[in-house]
Amino acid sequence: MAGVDVLEQYGPTGLDLRWLYGVKVALVALVLWILRRNYIELFSEATLDFKAWLTAIAVGVLVFVAWINLDVSWMLLSEPSEGFNPGTGIEGCLLIVTRLAGAALVVPLMEELFWRSFLMRWIQNQIFLQVLPGQVGWLALAVSSALFAIEHSLWFAGLIAGLAYGLLYIRSGKIWMPIIAHAVTNGVLGVWIIYTGKWHYW
């Protein structure tokens, strides 16, 4: 957000800052790719059976339903902004594709590696690589979920999401479960936003 403010004030005249999201997504995707060998959880026991896929998808959909309904005033950290309105035409379509790809593919991978795979286990024990998902306690789950919540303006919905993804990780022992659930939430939310035009959710 600080970067956006600086560009708005000092950037070139006529600069469309909506494309900044795509730049950020591309940079994050590049870093994830470069460091991919360090994310050992992504490649160990990565196979999920049908039940696991169904569970992750169901959790993702339930979090989406919570997200669009838990929006009363006390559940917000700030008043809703205009959000990310891509506009119309070819440029609008490209912005939509960029936003959806970032939200449903890059963000879930990045955030679950940080919030669940790293931070939640690190809170449990600073030598986090020695902590199995099933060994994470309620305090680590609660603290990491609370921090995840305040990253979002819809803090209460963010708290529910953090708890849901965290429990999914703890119970399954596989980081791909919350990644898939998070991707489903963001993907379905994105389609819903485009359909309803409620851009403030973006």
Side-chain angles (χ1 to χ4, degrees), residues 24-87:
K24 292 188 292 184
V25 164
L27 289 174
V28 170
L30 178 62
V31 171
L32 287 171
W33 175 257
I34 292 171
L35 300 177
R36 65 190 183 281
R37 297 184 186 277
N38 296 301
Y39 307 131
I40 55 178
E41 276 196 294
L42 294 179
F43 306 104
S44 61
E45 301 181 12
T47 304
L48 301 178
D49 58 22
F50 177 76
K51 182 180 178 181
W53 273 94
L54 196 62
T55 301
I57 292 170
V59 170
V61 172
L62 288 173
V63 172
F64 157 72
V65 172
W67 200 272
I68 63 173
N69 286 287
L70 299 177
D71 60 352
V72 296
S73 59
W74 67 269
M75 297 178 180
L76 306 176
L77 285 179
S78 59
E79 290 299 317
S81 63
E82 293 181 6
F84 183 90
N85 187 336

Side-chain angles (χ1 to χ4, degrees), residues 32-182:
L32 287 171
W33 175 257
I34 292 171
L35 300 177
R36 65 190 183 281
R37 297 184 186 277
N38 296 301
Y39 307 131
I40 55 178
E41 276 196 294
L42 294 179
F43 306 104
S44 61
E45 301 181 12
T47 304
L48 301 178
D49 58 22
F50 177 76
K51 182 180 178 181
W53 273 94
L54 196 62
T55 301
I57 292 170
V59 170
V61 172
L62 288 173
V63 172
F64 157 72
V65 172
W67 200 272
I68 63 173
N69 286 287
L70 299 177
D71 60 352
V72 296
S73 59
W74 67 269
M75 297 178 180
L76 306 176
L77 285 179
S78 59
E79 290 299 317
S81 63
E82 293 181 6
F84 183 90
N85 187 336
T88 58
I90 295 176
E91 184 182 37
C93 290
L94 290 174
L95 283 166
I96 284 174
V97 170
T98 302
R99 186 79 187 197
L100 271 178
L105 299 177
V106 179
V107 169
L109 187 60
M110 170 194 69
E111 291 199 341
E112 293 310 313
L113 283 172
F114 175 75
W115 291 105
R116 258 59 70 176
S117 181
F118 164 64
L119 185 63
M120 190 166 69
R121 291 194 296 165
W122 183 85
I123 294 170
Q124 184 69 30
N125 185 332
Q126 281 66 59
I127 310 175
F128 73 97
L129 289 176
Q130 296 181 5
V131 179
L132 297 175
Q135 295 173 328
V136 174
W138 284 103
L139 179 61
L141 172 64
V143 172
S144 61
S145 298
L147 292 172
F148 181 75
I150 61 176
E151 186 196 26
H152 301 85
S153 59
L154 290 167
W155 71 267
F156 192 74
L159 178 63
I160 298 300
L163 291 170
Y165 300 149
L167 283 171
L168 198 56
Y169 178 52
I170 292 169
R171 297 290 176 84
S172 69
K174 296 181 178 181
I175 192 60
W176 280 107
M177 293 286 282
I179 289 174
I180 292 168
H182 200 152

